[in-house]
Amino acid sequence: MMDDLLRILGLVLIIEALLPFISPRAYRQAVAQIALTPDSRMRSIAFVILLVGLALWVWG
């Protein structure tokens, strides 16, 4: 079980690092846009992502 969690964490880190590695400029622009996003919209997006992640975890 712990091995699976470490592999999942490793995959998340790889995916998170892809965009800044491939295109730092696009990454900076995306982060700048995210910084301008209102908190309520950010919470809504994060909630949907959490639900999708939970669904994938439970039924995957």
Side-chain angles (χ1 to χ4, degrees):
M1 177 77 164
M2 189 62 162
D3 288 341
D4 291 337
L5 290 175
L6 289 175
R7 288 176 196 256
I8 292 167
L9 178 59
L11 183 59
V12 167
L13 293 174
I14 290 168
I15 291 169
E16 287 288 327
L18 278 176
L19 185 58
F21 178 75
I22 293 170
S23 181
R25 183 173 298 155
Y27 180 74
R28 271 193 218 96
Q29 290 172 347
V31 170
Q33 283 295 323
I34 290 169
L36 297 174
T37 303
D39 288 349
S40 60
R41 175 145 178 142
M42 209 52 146
R43 279 194 185 96
S44 298
I45 293 168
F47 184 67
V48 169
I49 292 170
L50 283 169
L51 289 177
V52 170
L54 180 63
L56 289 172
W57 183 271
V58 170
W59 292 296

